[in-house]
Amino acid sequence: MLQVNYIRDNREKVLERLSVRNFKQVEVVDQIIEMDESRKQTQTSLDQLSAIANSSARQIGELMRSGKKEEAEALKAQTGSNKEQIKSLGEQLTDIEGRLFNLIVQLPNLPHELVKAGTTAEDNEVVSLHGEPAALPDGALPHWELAAKYDIIDFELGVKITGAGFPVYKGKGARLQRALINFFLDHAVANGYREMQVPHMVNEASGFGTGQLPDKEGQMYHAGVDNLYMIPTAEVPVTNLYRDVILKEEELPVKNTAYTPCFRREAGSYGAHVRGLNRLHQFDKVEVVQIVHPTKSYEVLEEMSAYVQSLLQELGLHYRVLRLCGGDMGFTSAMTYDMEVWSAAQQRWLEVSSVSNFETYQANRLKLRFKGQGGKTQLAHTLNGSALALPRIVGSILENNQTEQGIKIPEALVKYTGFEYID
């Protein structure tokens, strides 16, 4: 959530950066500034009347103690109207603050200066390209056909149990899933992240804290009776561990990792491009989250991007790194790198990770601060990244490593799977 003071003091810059996102509701920014001015005026009036009321109360007390009851009663009668005004102003202030809040949450984060304007994924900037496409044998199959051939993933069984987008992993397919989770967690811990186990459901306050609410409630599974949401990513519970927390500067950076299943309704997602593992309603993911000093966050963003890439390199996958344009970036992000793996069988790029810097946007919602030198508190910066999401990684491993002997397991995973081939 953007800070009102910044919006008021930097109106033109706010509008310029929002335009990079194709955000054209200029009137919302001006309404925020006008509403904040009204809030300040109302607060000032309320403070002045409250000061007068407090002063009068002290005078009445002194008069009563001096035995001047009649004078005290007269003064009490004179100040009676102040109480009604104070009550009325208090109600006005509450109403103004509510309307101001509802306006502010409509504004997405401001893109970093390096983020280019654009409207779709076609406008994203290719930052780097790594490795070479896999050389596949004749008659190479997409992963959904390989899954059926080797009986390792059953999409129809998932439909029977739950519905489309909930696959069942079997035998070596299930063991490959577990191997990847352990591989990703072990590497995260070796790189200084603390492993956490967190709830898979969150309350409304947590959804608001990381920006899923009120923006993405239609994409989240909601348990209405208890008003809880199934998590779309471990980012939500892991970051919310620090909601309403004031850290010490020397505690930064905070680095956590967690494996969780993730649940996404993916409403409106249809077509050949979402076949098989390409888009699911439930999938596994290892997430890395950092809370850092504001002066370090873009350095950390590059480090996190490099870390995710190191995982792809160990798995021997051909990938590219994109810096997302304003129109393709998440609501809460100031800058995002996407990592995409090349599927040689599908002849298309598949997104397998996003690494984002949210600057103070989430921290302001979370009231996540740190106490710096001199005891001054300020908002921290938050970052997170998929390290990694499993479905498209599994799909890419199956497709890019198919041989006449079977599907060859990447060497880095063999000690986790206990086998070299799926055959």
Side-chain angles (χ1 to χ4, degrees):
M1 186 166 66
L2 300 181
Q3 295 173 273
V4 180
N5 291 349
Y6 186 86
I7 296 170
R8 185 182 62 243
D9 297 340
N10 300 274
R11 176 184 179 274
E12 296 306 318
K13 183 175 181 181
V14 168
L15 291 174
E16 185 271 325
R17 294 319 297 165
L18 287 176
S19 70
V20 173
R21 285 183 170 273
N22 304 305
F23 186 88
K24 303 184 186 302
Q25 297 165 271
V26 178
E27 70 278 3
V28 174
V29 174
D30 289 333
Q31 286 169 8
I32 289 170
I33 294 170
E34 292 168 9
M35 192 74 68
D36 185 52
E37 184 60 33
S38 177
R39 180 196 61 79
K40 288 195 296 181
Q41 291 175 1
T42 305
Q43 183 71 67
T44 299
S45 298
L46 180 59
D47 291 344
Q48 290 172 346
L49 273 177
S50 297
I52 292 171
N54 291 336
S55 176
S56 297
R58 286 193 296 271
Q59 290 180 46
I60 291 167
E62 291 170 1
L63 289 169
M64 292 293 284
R65 285 191 293 274
S66 301
K68 300 176 181 179
K69 186 175 180 181
E70 290 184 6
E71 292 181 42
E73 291 297 332
L75 182 56
K76 190 183 293 185
Q78 291 174 18
T79 58
S81 63
N82 279 359
K83 291 183 179 179
E84 290 301 317
Q85 287 181 280
I86 289 171
K87 180 181 177 183
S88 177
L89 282 171
E91 291 172 349
Q92 288 180 42
L93 184 61
T94 299
D95 177 64
I96 290 169
E97 288 175 339
R99 286 189 286 155
L100 179 59
F101 174 83
N102 289 334
L103 287 170
I104 292 172
V105 296
Q106 294 179 38
L107 296 183
N109 203 355
L110 302 180
H112 185 272
E113 297 292 338
L114 288 176
V115 175
K116 295 183 177 180
T119 55
T120 68
E122 300 301 318
D123 300 315
N124 292 334
E125 178 184 5
V126 178
V127 175
S128 58
L129 187 66
H130 301 266
E132 297 292 335
L136 298 187
D138 293 339
L141 302 174
H143 68 263
W144 52 88
E145 293 186 23
L146 292 167
K149 177 180 178 180
Y150 295 107
D151 193 26
I152 54 174
I153 307 171
D154 196 321
F155 296 99
E156 292 306 316
L157 194 53
V159 171
K160 172 186 173 182
I161 298 169
T162 308
F166 295 89
V168 173
Y169 298 87
K170 304 160 68 174
K172 287 186 175 181
R175 290 169 65 185
L176 177 59
Q177 287 276 116
R178 178 158 51 92
L180 282 164
I181 292 166
N182 289 334
F183 172 73
F184 295 147
L185 283 173
D186 285 353
H187 277 64
V189 170
N191 277 269
Y193 290 91
R194 180 174 57 164
E195 184 176 350
M196 311 291 280
Q197 282 194 348
V198 291
H200 299 164
M201 302 182 80
V202 293
N203 56 31
E204 199 169 290
S206 294
F208 174 79
T210 43
Q212 279 69 34
L213 299 175
D215 180 49
K216 297 184 179 67
E217 61 266 45
Q219 294 295 335
M220 298 170 72
Y221 287 102
H222 183 216
V225 174
D226 299 305
N227 196 27
L228 296 175
Y229 293 86
M230 301 299 293
I231 61 171
T233 166
E235 167 204 347
V236 182
V238 172
T239 310
N240 270 279
L241 295 171
Y242 301 90
R243 175 156 42 94
D244 298 317
V245 169
I246 299 178
L247 297 164
K248 297 177 183 177
E249 186 171 0
E250 55 267 28
E251 293 179 284
L252 301 177
V254 172
K255 301 174 67 175
N256 289 325
T257 185
Y259 152 70
T260 66
C262 303
F263 304 89
R264 299 183 185 179
R265 291 188 63 239
E266 297 288 3
S269 297
Y270 306 101
H273 66 290
V274 299
R275 286 195 67 179
L277 299 172
N278 288 346
R279 187 157 296 169
L280 301 176
H281 294 307
Q282 177 183 326
F283 61 93
D284 294 320
K285 180 154 69 82
V286 173
E287 193 81 358
V288 290
V289 174
Q290 290 207 40
I291 300 167
V292 304
H293 193 284
T295 61
K296 300 286 188 181
S297 66
Y298 281 95
E299 176 185 333
V300 170
L301 179 64
E302 297 300 325
E303 291 173 359
M304 291 176 72
S305 171
Y307 168 68
V308 172
Q309 292 179 59
S310 73
L311 300 175
L312 297 173
Q313 290 164 15
E314 283 210 52
L315 294 174
L317 295 170
H318 173 46
Y319 70 93
R320 67 179 183 179
V321 181
L322 306 178
R323 180 158 47 224
L324 301 192
C325 69
D328 197 37
M329 207 162 54
F331 189 84
T332 54
S333 177
M335 185 189 290
T336 296
Y337 288 118
D338 270 7
M339 287 70 177
E340 296 183 337
V341 167
W342 178 250
S343 166
Q346 297 180 61
Q347 289 291 294
R348 59 189 293 256
W349 292 100
L350 302 174
E351 179 203 329
V352 295
S353 176
S354 285
V355 182
S356 300
N357 185 355
F358 306 103
E359 296 187 0
T360 61
Y361 194 90
Q362 289 182 334
N364 192 30
R365 288 174 169 233
L366 295 159
K367 294 183 173 57
L368 166 53
R369 294 155 289 172
F370 70 95
K371 188 171 289 188
Q373 295 179 351
K376 181 181 178 183
T377 59
Q378 58 180 304
L379 293 170
H381 279 196
T382 61
L383 303 94
N384 83 273
S386 310
L388 288 158
L390 268 68
R392 294 173 185 171
I393 289 291
V394 170
S396 298
I397 287 173
L398 297 180
E399 292 176 356
N400 294 341
N401 291 279
Q402 54 186 301
T403 70
E404 292 181 359
Q405 187 177 342
I407 297 165
K408 190 175 189 333
I409 299 298
E411 185 177 343
L413 287 181
V414 171
K415 70 175 182 178
Y416 291 95
T417 59
F419 52 84
E420 296 183 9
Y421 281 90
I422 295 175
D423 50 21

